[in-house]
Amino acid sequence: MGPAARATKIDVGILGATGAVGQQFIAQLAGHPWFRTTWLGASGRSEGKKYRDLTWRLSTPFPEEVADLAIEPAAPGDAPRLVFSALDATVAGEIEQAFAAAGHIVVSNAGNFRMDPLVPLLIPEVNPDHLGLVPAQQQAKGWSGAIVTNPNCSTVFLAMALAAVRQFNPTAVSVTTLQAASGAGYPGVASLDLLGNVIPFISGEEEKIENETKKILGSLVNGHVEPHPVVVSAQTTRVAVVNGHTEMISVRFAKTPSREDLLYAFASFWGRPQQHRLPTAPAKPLIYLNEGNRPQPRLDVEREGGMAVFVGRLRPCPVLGYKFVALGHNTIRGAAGAAVLNAELMSVEGMLD
Amino acid sequence: MGPAARATKIDVGILGATGAVGQQFIAQLAGHPWFRTTWLGASGRSEGKKYRDLTWRLSTPFPEEVADLAIEPAAPGDAPRLVFSALDATVAGEIEQAFAAAGHIVVSNAGNFRMDPLVPLLIPEVNPDHLGLVPAQQQAKGWSGAIVTNPNCSTVFLAMALAAVRQFNPTAVSVTTLQAASGAGYPGVASLDLLGNVIPFISGEEEKIENETKKILGSLVNGHVEPHPVVVSAQTTRVAVVNGHTEMISVRFAKTPSREDLLYAFASFWGRPQQHRLPTAPAKPLIYLNEGNRPQPRLDVEREGGMAVFVGRLRPCPVLGYKFVALGHNTIRGAAGAAVLNAELMSVEGMLD
Amino acid sequence: MGPAARATKIDVGILGATGAVGQQFIAQLAGHPWFRTTWLGASGRSEGKKYRDLTWRLSTPFPEEVADLAIEPAAPGDAPRLVFSALDATVAGEIEQAFAAAGHIVVSNAGNFRMDPLVPLLIPEVNPDHLGLVPAQQQAKGWSGAIVTNPNCSTVFLAMALAAVRQFNPTAVSVTTLQAASGAGYPGVASLDLLGNVIPFISGEEEKIENETKKILGSLVNGHVEPHPVVVSAQTTRVAVVNGHTEMISVRFAKTPSREDLLYAFASFWGRPQQHRLPTAPAKPLIYLNEGNRPQPRLDVEREGGMAVFVGRLRPCPVLGYKFVALGHNTIRGAAGAAVLNAELMSVEGMLD
Amino acid sequence: MGPAARATKIDVGILGATGAVGQQFIAQLAGHPWFRTTWLGASGRSEGKKYRDLTWRLSTPFPEEVADLAIEPAAPGDAPRLVFSALDATVAGEIEQAFAAAGHIVVSNAGNFRMDPLVPLLIPEVNPDHLGLVPAQQQAKGWSGAIVTNPNCSTVFLAMALAAVRQFNPTAVSVTTLQAASGAGYPGVASLDLLGNVIPFISGEEEKIENETKKILGSLVNGHVEPHPVVVSAQTTRVAVVNGHTEMISVRFAKTPSREDLLYAFASFWGRPQQHRLPTAPAKPLIYLNEGNRPQPRLDVEREGGMAVFVGRLRPCPVLGYKFVALGHNTIRGAAGAAVLNAELMSVEGMLD
């Protein structure tokens, strides 16, 4: 099975299709070889409008293929079996649950069910086996459908970098993030708060990084996820960048690797998406940049379709052992692109049949 | 002795008067109650020009009192005994040495002599006793003058915050800085490198923070400075901010203080500048902000004349114990203002008589 | 009568005290020698809260003198006779009318009554005689109080520059504005819309500049304002600047002045605020900068307390005759500072007794 | 002849290959169906280095096809017949002349020969017939080669918009530009000058727009270009945008068109590049956006490969008749892309054979 087009595409719906992440889902699915967007749902004021009558706020071209879809209420019914959720956390809980109960496969970017012990918090290169939680989820919750989630945008990049080096047993991680405006959605952060400024706080973000990372790196044992013992400390900031979260990371390892060990681990990191050549999988999930002042959001974040994580400046840390920089595209690999890759993995695993 | 005007002001010179830090020195000394700028030195193209014919690039008003001073060569001679040095590191070494040898007191912002074991790396609230190195310096180098330095701009804020809590024996510090454009001088960083971007590297900066902090917090023992045993790891970035370095700091303490202990230590931190009411000393060197998303460069950095360090978000760090945010004005408390405060301290200590 | 303190200060209230302009009013009135803020009104959620419990979003220090005032409902009653209005246009109409009917002097920054033929649209240096509309306003509307307005933020700077040269009969003006984020209030423009971007549209702004300018420069004839015949065309844009509207202006004059004529007219422009030395009047309302690349928001807009208009680059325009650049502080001279100066003028004119 | 690949590609060289525009040339020519970059020339420090060892500063991927080319001296010799010039104006005059004399076709982005009466100042959609100057140029200068230029970056967008409506006889144009940082090259504008700021001056830019526009729209009569009689007045500013010059344009027409006339003229504008389907020609050179707040650099400038000009907000101008907004990509359609399109036109015109 490769990234070639399918005889019949799978119809997909998008919940929360009008927001910032919803638009990124539409862009990510435009021209997708396996999936075809046929249903758009949103709560509130946009109901009934055609998509072409809403404001398109991405710099990528407006995808004509959804132009004539009308916005449906965010309730199961006509929606196709596979729905992506870009819903806001304030409403995602109830709506996603209703869809799962009604038999839909909900591939969600919302945070509500990420830490639910029965819900996979999935990065296809890192923990594809966590999809094994789904049958227990269905049984316990009495759902004919299911919910599968992707991590918070800043967690993804850290978790992928750590996964590449997990054979050296990371025990403690300290990370400071410099996060882009697009991570807060639209309208999100006021320009008066961000122009020439740094906001050293993002609500709930540090806890998400600290907790989600442990679950993602955890092991599936007897049908539940045993969190990884690594201790994570996060400090999160918002900076005047449009797209791209930069992360300054320090790690202590139980087994002390050499710098070459780590560089080799980054370079050879690889997973199911690459093995199956999933349509939106990057050729290499981690790309180490040798230049001494990279990665940088403006120069690097749009490369590889926004699906790779860029790493650089690996060097000794006097306190924890090693430190390095990671960068990823927060609305692609950190949100809509993550969910689409999750669905691609589920497709080749036969979970969408 | 208080901040009142003196009967006779002390004449001062400024080396490197035409650069970004040089202009900040001029601004900082404009209307100073003790010092009067009477001499401006610079190397190169500006020699002989009147100061009013150069471009004033600060947003503070152009100080008329230096308008008619002509730029002199950067060599001792007519310069007054006390000179501030805003020289670039590429030329500061030789020039400052020549001035010290010729009997001048050089209060320098340049990095060249900061780690010289005989040169005080001074923060008046933190290590005023390090001025005790000066006699040994003069004897060893055969200088009738002397050199006294202030730390690198991002070191100052970290060192002041740590000094406030040093009774709890900090043993390890991890810091990520988000540094302003003005820290790179003028023209400094190209706008194409900084607009909507983060540069995760500043040449030499991490080493300076890691080493200078240990010297500043060190103890003067038998005429030399015993470095503080704290281990410091720094990651430095440049962000699209004009003024103000933000620092995300984690600390491990040997004695585990309570959060209240630390807040009390920040609030009660105080030193010789406050005791002597030095003219440019802030009323409180550290100001803790209770709001959950502060300090922020755009809202806080210009307060207190740019001479205080703002601290906030003290909370537990799962890896090192505590974490918090610090912010300071890099061209004032991190450069020109630091040097002027050093000279004020030297004045009340009788070292300028 | 000069800017000296008064024996008894005049109590003032601020309507809309919690918004961006309301905060600027509080800052502008902090320590004012004639006025003392004793009442804060706002509609909605903040009612009943103490001012110190709201978020202060200016970089100037929080004014302790209003800290313990509680937010009152935006209705006449306990409010002092003089109230400044920073209300949003959506609610200002009804509320200001109610205050005027109840005997209050409303000095308003809102746009609702600016083009009312009986309401002065006042710039004290330009059309102080327009205050002569007030008695007719009171009679026609049956108000014991009155409403006096200041222009839209981008109109002020254009109108002041044109007023300085009106003896040469300007007949046509073309202006393109580059307006700051703070002009849109808080939260105002989303950072995703402004980072690295230009928005070539501001709702209603072009019409305001085109119409208000004619009224301000108009003549009071037989108790009504005859609009000035100048034709104005405006194009307005929003740019990534915090404070300061830059305006690129071209003017055709009926009498063709020389460049020296115009420079002299700018330099000698002067009015009642300067004559009476009103407390917040700038020494010179227009300041011409000779440097070829000025004025610039970041370098110039905070000078003179934000109350002067900076002009530069006067040169021939092949199409209209002359062109030049103007810059002003949109939340000070373009909003709160404009209203406070209006009230100062009304005070020396005996209209607040 | 269409955009299909050629049997044999034409070898091309790039003069000034290491600067900002040079890099854009390399990007623009990467994978070009007709041209193949085989020679890179630059003056100064980079000579002899392989291209892969220089810093690639564009966000597009580094083009591997030039990676192993070494930088040659900027002198004729081994260079192929067709060379693109991205040279700085300080050196372009002499070097381009030497190449033309040595038989090279120099397709230049430099300003030095743009106003030379014998040199085409070419926009393929606007004045393809100006290529008719070349034989006279060769004869007069005694060159076996030739020089063909493209306009200054901000001139292109204005000239294309005016060309679309020239049947209505534009007689006067007033334009204010809001220009991107990349227009100044690298390092170009200091970040301290551009962060949160507007610079209301760009050296030489206003004169270029005012003069070049008249030549481009001029008629080739008896072997020389008769400038168009339109009078142009330009005001130019630099704003905190990475790519994309926004232009606020007012036009007076001799024949007064209706708004529909103008919209139709914009929509139907078309030229030789579209007729010949030149490889980098946009499908439509002008794209009118109906949304009331467009075009915007961040959302629109990268569309159509940066080769289209976006127009919007057409509305009456009280002073000149009509006003509208235009936007173009300054380093693509305003520089390297313009030159490559010029060469494509020359190719189908048989001038490269």
Side-chain angles (χ1 to χ4, degrees):
Chain A
M1 169 98 242
R6 301 195 154 195
T8 317
K9 289 193 183 179
I10 300 172
D11 288 351
V12 305
I14 300 173
L15 278 165
T18 58
V21 177
Q23 295 206 336
Q24 194 64 58
F25 267 109
I26 288 173
Q28 205 69 13
L29 291 165
H32 194 282
W34 296 356
F35 302 135
R36 179 181 49 199
T37 307
T38 60
W39 185 91
L40 302 176
S43 53
R45 295 169 308 164
S46 311
E47 235 182 86
K49 290 193 187 158
K50 294 222 164 160
Y51 206 81
R52 74 163 73 255
D53 297 326
L54 305 175
T55 302
W56 182 250
R57 280 181 306 266
L58 298 184
S59 55
T60 48
F62 176 74
E64 284 299 325
E65 57 204 88
V66 299
D68 292 317
L69 292 181
I71 305 297
E72 307 284 338
D78 305 340
R81 181 153 174 262
L82 175 60
V83 294
F84 291 102
S85 167
L87 290 168
D88 195 82
T90 54
V91 298
E94 225 167 304
I95 297 176
E96 294 183 358
Q97 204 156 333
F99 272 78
H104 295 273
I105 305 292
V106 182
V107 180
S108 172
N109 180 59
N112 308 56
F113 293 101
R114 282 184 197 142
M115 295 305 294
D116 184 311
L118 292 168
V119 173
L121 181 54
L122 188 66
I123 301 177
E125 286 92 344
V126 177
N127 59 352
D129 57 314
H130 288 203
L131 282 175
L133 289 174
V134 167
Q137 177 196 126
Q138 294 180 308
Q139 187 169 1
K141 311 222 181 220
W143 293 343
S144 51
I147 296 178
V148 170
T149 63
N150 59 266
N152 174 54
C153 50
S154 23
T155 307
V156 181
F157 317 129
L158 174 64
M160 287 176 68
L162 291 179
V165 296
R166 62 183 147 185
Q167 68 266 40
F168 305 111
N169 287 6
T171 57
V173 174
S174 177
V175 58
T176 293
T177 66
L178 295 83
Q179 301 190 206
S182 62
Y186 185 87
V189 185
S191 55
L192 280 178
D193 285 333
L194 212 46
L195 286 174
N197 204 17
V198 166
I199 309 176
F201 173 70
I202 302 174
S203 181
E205 196 81 358
E206 298 177 351
E207 295 77 6
K208 288 179 189 168
I209 298 174
E210 294 176 357
N211 295 325
E212 294 181 9
T213 304
K214 294 167 65 73
K215 177 172 178 183
I216 295 163
L217 296 177
S219 310
L220 190 72
V221 181
N222 298 329
H224 76 280
V225 173
E226 196 70 45
H228 192 284
V230 64
V231 177
V232 180
S233 173
Q235 306 215 48
T236 56
T237 72
R238 186 80 66 191
V239 295
V241 163
V242 171
N243 289 317
H245 291 356
T246 304
E247 309 193 347
M248 313 302 286
I249 299 169
S250 294
V251 188
R252 184 197 294 133
F253 294 100
K255 303 181 183 172
T256 310
S258 71
R259 185 167 182 272
E260 287 62 42
D261 291 337
L262 293 173
L263 289 176
Y264 180 79
F266 287 147
S268 59
F269 183 56
W270 206 71
R272 293 250 196 123
Q274 288 72 39
Q275 175 192 349
H276 290 295
R277 296 192 198 173
L278 299 181
T280 64
K284 293 164 55 65
L286 290 184
I287 297 178
Y288 189 88
L289 303 176
N290 287 304
E291 295 87 343
N293 61 359
R294 300 287 273 268
Q296 294 179 17
R298 199 174 77 68
L299 295 179
D300 299 314
V301 83
E302 304 288 346
R303 293 166 55 185
E304 307 296 321
M307 287 298 288
V309 174
F310 296 90
V311 185
R313 295 202 72 215
L314 179 67
R315 60 209 191 284
C317 168
V319 170
L320 292 182
Y322 279 101
K323 48 189 175 185
F324 59 93
V325 184
L327 168 77
H329 197 301
N330 52 296
T331 67
I332 302 180
R333 183 45 108 137
V340 170
L341 192 65
N342 283 354
E344 291 171 6
L345 177 66
M346 293 171 76
S347 175
V348 294
E349 301 283 348
M351 297 176 69
L352 303 183
D353 300 337
Chain B
M1 168 100 245
R6 300 195 157 198
T8 316
K9 289 192 183 180
I10 299 171
D11 288 350
V12 305
I14 301 173
L15 277 165
T18 59
V21 177
Q23 294 205 336
Q24 193 65 59
F25 267 109
I26 288 173
Q28 206 68 14
L29 291 165
H32 194 283
W34 296 357
F35 303 135
R36 179 180 50 199
T37 307
T38 59
W39 185 92
L40 302 176
S43 53
R45 297 170 307 166
S46 311
E47 234 183 271
K49 289 192 186 157
K50 293 221 165 160
Y51 207 80
R52 72 164 73 255
D53 297 326
L54 304 175
T55 302
W56 182 250
R57 280 183 306 268
L58 298 184
S59 55
T60 48
F62 176 74
E64 284 298 325
E65 57 204 90
V66 300
D68 291 318
L69 293 181
I71 306 297
E72 308 283 339
D78 304 342
R81 181 155 174 259
L82 174 61
V83 294
F84 291 102
S85 167
L87 289 168
D88 195 81
T90 54
V91 298
E94 224 167 306
I95 297 175
E96 293 184 358
Q97 203 156 336
F99 272 78
H104 295 273
I105 305 292
V106 182
V107 180
S108 173
N109 180 61
N112 308 57
F113 292 102
R114 282 185 197 142
M115 295 304 296
D116 185 310
L118 292 169
V119 173
L121 181 53
L122 187 67
I123 301 178
E125 286 92 343
V126 176
N127 60 352
D129 58 315
H130 288 203
L131 281 175
L133 289 173
V134 167
Q137 177 195 127
Q138 293 179 309
Q139 188 168 2
K141 310 223 181 222
W143 292 344
S144 51
I147 297 179
V148 171
T149 64
N150 57 268
N152 173 54
C153 50
S154 23
T155 308
V156 181
F157 318 129
L158 175 63
M160 286 176 67
L162 290 179
V165 296
R166 63 182 144 185
Q167 68 266 37
F168 305 109
N169 287 6
T171 57
V173 173
S174 178
V175 58
T176 293
T177 65
L178 295 85
Q179 301 189 208
S182 61
Y186 185 87
V189 185
S191 54
L192 280 178
D193 286 334
L194 212 46
L195 286 173
N197 204 16
V198 166
I199 310 174
F201 173 71
I202 302 173
S203 180
E205 196 81 358
E206 298 177 351
E207 296 77 5
K208 287 178 190 169
I209 297 172
E210 295 176 356
N211 296 325
E212 293 180 9
T213 305
K214 294 165 65 72
K215 176 171 178 182
I216 294 163
L217 296 177
S219 309
L220 190 71
V221 181
N222 299 328
H224 77 281
V225 174
E226 196 69 46
H228 192 282
V230 66
V231 177
V232 180
S233 173
Q235 305 214 50
T236 55
T237 73
R238 186 81 65 191
V239 294
V241 163
V242 172
N243 288 317
H245 290 357
T246 303
E247 310 193 345
M248 312 302 286
I249 300 169
S250 295
V251 188
R252 186 198 292 132
F253 294 100
K255 304 180 182 172
T256 311
S258 69
R259 185 167 183 270
E260 287 62 42
D261 290 338
L262 293 173
L263 290 176
Y264 180 80
F266 286 147
S268 58
F269 183 56
W270 206 70
R272 289 252 195 123
Q274 288 72 38
Q275 175 192 350
H276 290 296
R277 298 192 195 173
L278 299 181
T280 64
K284 291 162 59 64
L286 289 184
I287 296 178
Y288 189 88
L289 303 176
N290 287 303
E291 294 87 343
N293 60 0
R294 302 286 275 268
Q296 295 179 17
R298 201 176 75 69
L299 295 180
D300 298 314
V301 82
E302 304 288 345
R303 292 164 57 186
E304 308 294 321
M307 287 297 288
V309 174
F310 296 89
V311 185
R313 296 201 70 214
L314 178 67
R315 59 210 191 283
C317 169
V319 171
L320 293 183
Y322 280 101
K323 51 190 174 186
F324 60 93
V325 183
L327 167 77
H329 196 302
N330 53 296
T331 66
I332 301 182
R333 182 46 108 138
V340 170
L341 191 66
N342 283 354
E344 290 171 5
L345 177 67
M346 293 170 75
S347 175
V348 294
E349 302 282 347
M351 296 175 70
L352 304 183
D353 301 336
Chain C
M1 169 99 246
R6 301 197 155 195
T8 317
K9 288 193 184 181
I10 299 171
D11 287 351
V12 304
I14 300 173
L15 278 164
T18 58
V21 177
Q23 295 205 336
Q24 193 65 58
F25 267 109
I26 288 173
Q28 206 69 13
L29 291 165
H32 194 284
W34 295 357
F35 302 135
R36 178 180 50 198
T37 307
T38 59
W39 185 92
L40 302 176
S43 52
R45 297 170 307 166
S46 311
E47 234 182 270
K49 288 191 188 160
K50 293 220 165 163
Y51 207 80
R52 74 162 75 254
D53 296 327
L54 305 174
T55 303
W56 183 250
R57 281 182 306 267
L58 299 184
S59 56
T60 48
F62 176 74
E64 283 299 324
E65 56 203 271
V66 299
D68 292 318
L69 293 180
I71 306 296
E72 307 283 339
D78 305 342
R81 182 154 175 260
L82 175 60
V83 294
F84 291 102
S85 168
L87 290 168
D88 195 81
T90 54
V91 298
E94 223 166 306
I95 296 176
E96 294 184 357
Q97 204 156 334
F99 272 77
H104 295 274
I105 305 291
V106 181
V107 180
S108 172
N109 180 60
N112 308 56
F113 292 102
R114 281 185 197 141
M115 295 304 294
D116 184 311
L118 292 169
V119 172
L121 182 52
L122 187 67
I123 302 177
E125 286 92 344
V126 176
N127 60 354
D129 57 316
H130 288 203
L131 282 175
L133 289 173
V134 168
Q137 177 195 126
Q138 293 179 308
Q139 189 169 2
K141 311 223 181 219
W143 291 343
S144 50
I147 297 178
V148 170
T149 63
N150 57 267
N152 173 55
C153 50
S154 24
T155 308
V156 181
F157 318 129
L158 175 64
M160 286 176 68
L162 290 178
V165 296
R166 64 182 144 185
Q167 68 267 37
F168 304 110
N169 288 5
T171 58
V173 174
S174 178
V175 58
T176 294
T177 65
L178 295 84
Q179 302 189 208
S182 61
Y186 185 87
V189 186
S191 54
L192 280 178
D193 285 333
L194 212 46
L195 285 174
N197 204 16
V198 167
I199 309 174
F201 173 70
I202 301 174
S203 181
E205 195 82 357
E206 298 177 351
E207 297 76 4
K208 287 178 190 170
I209 297 173
E210 294 177 357
N211 295 325
E212 294 180 8
T213 305
K214 294 167 64 72
K215 176 172 178 182
I216 295 163
L217 296 176
S219 308
L220 189 72
V221 181
N222 298 329
H224 76 281
V225 173
E226 196 69 47
H228 192 283
V230 65
V231 177
V232 180
S233 174
Q235 305 213 50
T236 55
T237 72
R238 187 80 65 191
V239 294
V241 163
V242 172
N243 289 316
H245 291 357
T246 304
E247 309 193 346
M248 313 301 285
I249 300 169
S250 294
V251 188
R252 185 197 294 132
F253 293 100
K255 303 181 183 172
T256 311
S258 69
R259 185 167 182 273
E260 287 64 40
D261 290 339
L262 293 173
L263 289 176
Y264 180 79
F266 286 146
S268 58
F269 182 56
W270 205 71
R272 289 250 197 124
Q274 289 72 38
Q275 176 192 348
H276 290 295
R277 298 192 195 172
L278 298 181
T280 64
K284 292 164 57 65
L286 290 183
I287 296 178
Y288 189 88
L289 303 176
N290 287 303
E291 294 86 342
N293 61 358
R294 301 286 275 268
Q296 294 179 16
R298 201 175 74 69
L299 295 180
D300 299 314
V301 82
E302 304 288 345
R303 293 165 55 185
E304 308 294 321
M307 287 297 289
V309 174
F310 296 90
V311 185
R313 296 203 68 215
L314 178 67
R315 59 209 192 284
C317 169
V319 170
L320 292 182
Y322 279 101
K323 51 190 174 186
F324 60 92
V325 184
L327 167 76
H329 196 302
N330 52 296
T331 66
I332 301 181
R333 182 46 107 140
V340 170
L341 192 66
N342 283 354
E344 291 171 4
L345 178 65
M346 293 171 75
S347 175
V348 294
E349 301 283 348
M351 296 176 71
L352 303 183
D353 300 337
Chain D
M1 171 98 243
R6 303 197 154 193
T8 318
K9 288 194 184 179
I10 300 171
D11 288 350
V12 305
I14 299 173
L15 278 164
T18 58
V21 178
Q23 295 206 335
Q24 193 66 56
F25 266 109
I26 288 174
Q28 206 69 14
L29 292 164
H32 195 282
W34 295 357
F35 303 135
R36 180 180 49 199
T37 307
T38 59
W39 185 93
L40 302 175
S43 53
R45 296 170 306 166
S46 311
E47 235 182 87
K49 290 194 186 157
K50 294 221 163 161
Y51 206 79
R52 73 164 74 254
D53 297 325
L54 304 175
T55 302
W56 182 250
R57 279 182 306 266
L58 299 184
S59 54
T60 48
F62 177 74
E64 284 299 324
E65 57 204 89
V66 300
D68 291 318
L69 294 180
I71 306 297
E72 308 283 338
D78 305 341
R81 180 152 175 263
L82 174 60
V83 294
F84 292 102
S85 167
L87 289 168
D88 195 81
T90 53
V91 298
E94 225 166 305
I95 297 175
E96 293 184 358
Q97 205 156 333
F99 272 78
H104 295 274
I105 306 290
V106 181
V107 180
S108 173
N109 180 59
N112 308 56
F113 293 102
R114 283 186 197 141
M115 295 305 295
D116 185 311
L118 292 169
V119 173
L121 181 54
L122 189 67
I123 302 177
E125 286 93 342
V126 177
N127 60 354
D129 57 314
H130 288 204
L131 282 175
L133 290 174
V134 166
Q137 176 195 127
Q138 294 180 308
Q139 187 168 1
K141 311 221 182 223
W143 292 344
S144 51
I147 296 178
V148 170
T149 63
N150 58 268
N152 173 54
C153 51
S154 24
T155 307
V156 182
F157 317 128
L158 175 64
M160 287 176 69
L162 290 178
V165 296
R166 63 182 146 186
Q167 68 267 39
F168 304 110
N169 287 5
T171 57
V173 174
S174 178
V175 57
T176 294
T177 66
L178 294 85
Q179 302 189 208
S182 62
Y186 185 86
V189 185
S191 53
L192 279 179
D193 284 334
L194 213 46
L195 285 174
N197 204 15
V198 166
I199 309 175
F201 173 71
I202 301 173
S203 181
E205 195 82 357
E206 298 177 351
E207 296 76 5
K208 288 178 191 169
I209 298 173
E210 294 176 357
N211 296 325
E212 293 180 9
T213 305
K214 294 167 65 72
K215 177 173 179 183
I216 295 163
L217 296 177
S219 309
L220 190 71
V221 181
N222 299 328
H224 77 280
V225 173
E226 197 68 46
H228 192 283
V230 65
V231 177
V232 180
S233 174
Q235 306 214 49
T236 55
T237 72
R238 187 80 66 191
V239 293
V241 164
V242 171
N243 288 316
H245 291 355
T246 304
E247 309 193 346
M248 312 303 286
I249 300 170
S250 296
V251 188
R252 185 198 294 133
F253 294 100
K255 302 181 184 172
T256 311
S258 70
R259 185 166 181 274
E260 287 63 41
D261 290 339
L262 294 173
L263 289 176
Y264 180 80
F266 286 147
S268 58
F269 183 56
W270 206 71
R272 291 253 194 121
Q274 288 73 38
Q275 177 192 348
H276 290 295
R277 295 193 199 173
L278 299 181
T280 64
K284 293 163 57 64
L286 290 183
I287 296 178
Y288 188 88
L289 303 176
N290 287 303
E291 294 88 342
N293 60 359
R294 301 286 274 268
Q296 294 179 17
R298 199 173 77 68
L299 295 179
D300 299 313
V301 83
E302 303 289 345
R303 294 165 55 185
E304 309 294 321
M307 286 299 287
V309 174
F310 296 89
V311 185
R313 295 202 70 215
L314 178 67
R315 61 207 189 285
C317 170
V319 169
L320 293 182
Y322 280 101
K323 50 190 174 187
F324 60 93
V325 183
L327 167 77
H329 197 302
N330 52 296
T331 66
I332 302 181
R333 182 45 106 138
V340 170
L341 191 66
N342 283 353
E344 291 171 5
L345 178 66
M346 293 171 75
S347 176
V348 294
E349 301 283 348
M351 297 176 70
L352 303 183
D353 299 338

